């Protein structure tokens, strides 16, 4: 009787020893199956990381403020419809192998003058991307702003789809986004762009 239980104990001890050795072998393996497989699984392809320089946004000093007058008046305070200004600007960029897309944002303010009235105003904002002195992107946007009866409002200009080529190594460090209002034409024959 003692002999049978001794054999059972030894075979249980042998099984535990083998199990412990297999578990310890798995601790030194990089396989999730504990080193019990014959071959490692194939590595999954890794998507390449596209890095790019995100150009800064600068405001044009000469066109960051726009004053609109009734009729052909210029600098007549009684004929001022509104005065709009752009202030703080920022951007966010996304890129793939061929295109850098810039989301341009700027804070603005609009104040009505004596000839202005509450309601919808379309502000002609020009977004340009320059590489050095060369313009590589230019777009005029008619940006809607609603002016409340109080006569002034703040707004957030946003153009999320400014797309330029993304070359090897990203955009040049001389690339920048320039933002301002469309210049006001002077003279009777001048026409506003739509």
């Amino acid at each position: 009787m003692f002999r049978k239980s001794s054999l059972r104990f030894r075979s249980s001890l042998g099984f535990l020893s083998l199990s412990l050795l297999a578990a310890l072998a798995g601790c030194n393996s990089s396989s999730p199956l504990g080193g019990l497989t014959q071959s490692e699984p194939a590595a999954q392809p890794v998507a390449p990381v596209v890095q790019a320089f995100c150009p800064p946004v600068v405001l044009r000093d000469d066109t960051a403020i726009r004053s609109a007058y009734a009729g052909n008046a210029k600098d007549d305070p009684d004929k001022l419809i509104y005065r709009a200004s752009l202030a703080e600007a920022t951007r966010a960029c996304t890129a793939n192998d061929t295109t850098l897309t810039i989301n341009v944002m700027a804070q603005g303010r609009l104040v009505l003058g004596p000839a202005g009235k509450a309601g919808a105003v379309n502000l002609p904002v020009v977004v340009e991307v320059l590489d050095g002195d060369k313009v590589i992107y230019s777009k005029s946007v008619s940006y809607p702003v609603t002016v409340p009866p109080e006569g002034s409002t703040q707004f957030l200009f946003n153009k999320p789809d400014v797309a330029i080529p993304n070359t090897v190594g990203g955009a040049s460090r001389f690339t920048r986004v320039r933002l301002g209002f469309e210049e006001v034409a002077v003279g009777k024959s001048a026409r506003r762009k739509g």
Side-chain angles (χ1 to χ4, degrees):
M1 182 109 174
F2 177 72
R3 192 175 190 161
K4 281 186 180 178
S5 59
S6 173
L7 283 174
R8 279 189 205 145
F9 177 75
R10 275 193 233 157
S11 62
S12 295
L13 188 60
F15 177 74
L16 285 173
S17 297
L18 286 175
S19 298
L20 183 61
L21 285 174
L24 288 175
C27 289
N28 293 327
S29 170
S30 61
S31 169
L33 297 176
L36 299 177
T37 59
Q38 293 292 335
S39 63
E40 294 291 322
Q44 296 295 322
V46 177
V49 175
V50 179
Q51 294 183 340
F53 170 69
C54 191
V57 180
V58 296
L59 296 174
R60 289 186 58 169
D61 290 336
D62 57 338
T63 62
I65 297 174
R66 178 181 175 87
S67 298
Y69 295 90
N72 287 327
K74 180 158 174 55
D75 299 327
D76 182 350
D78 293 331
K79 304 258 179 152
L80 179 67
I81 300 170
Y82 68 81
R83 181 162 291 146
S85 61
L86 294 171
E88 300 294 318
T90 189
R91 81 286 187 225
C93 294
T94 56
N96 61 30
D97 290 337
T98 59
T99 306
L100 176 69
T101 304
I102 309 165
N103 182 359
V104 180
M105 294 160 276
Q107 185 180 20
R109 183 166 176 78
L110 190 146
V111 178
L112 293 178
K117 60 182 179 179
V121 174
N122 288 317
L123 298 175
V125 180
V126 177
V127 180
E128 296 175 315
V129 180
L130 290 88
D131 187 1
D133 292 333
K134 180 183 174 189
V135 176
I136 58 175
Y137 175 97
S138 182
K139 182 81 174 180
S140 183
V141 179
S142 181
Y143 195 76
V145 175
T146 302
V147 184
E150 295 80 37
S152 68
T153 189
Q154 293 184 350
F155 62 91
L156 183 63
F157 171 79
N158 179 230
K159 178 141 179 61
D161 57 352
V162 177
I164 62 171
N166 187 28
T167 58
V168 175
S172 157
R173 296 299 186 257
F174 298 105
T175 303
R176 66 197 182 283
V177 179
R178 191 165 64 181
L179 197 59
F181 291 110
E182 187 176 282
E183 293 186 50
V184 178
V186 180
K188 290 183 180 180
S189 62
R191 298 278 185 258
R192 277 181 62 185
K193 292 180 183 176

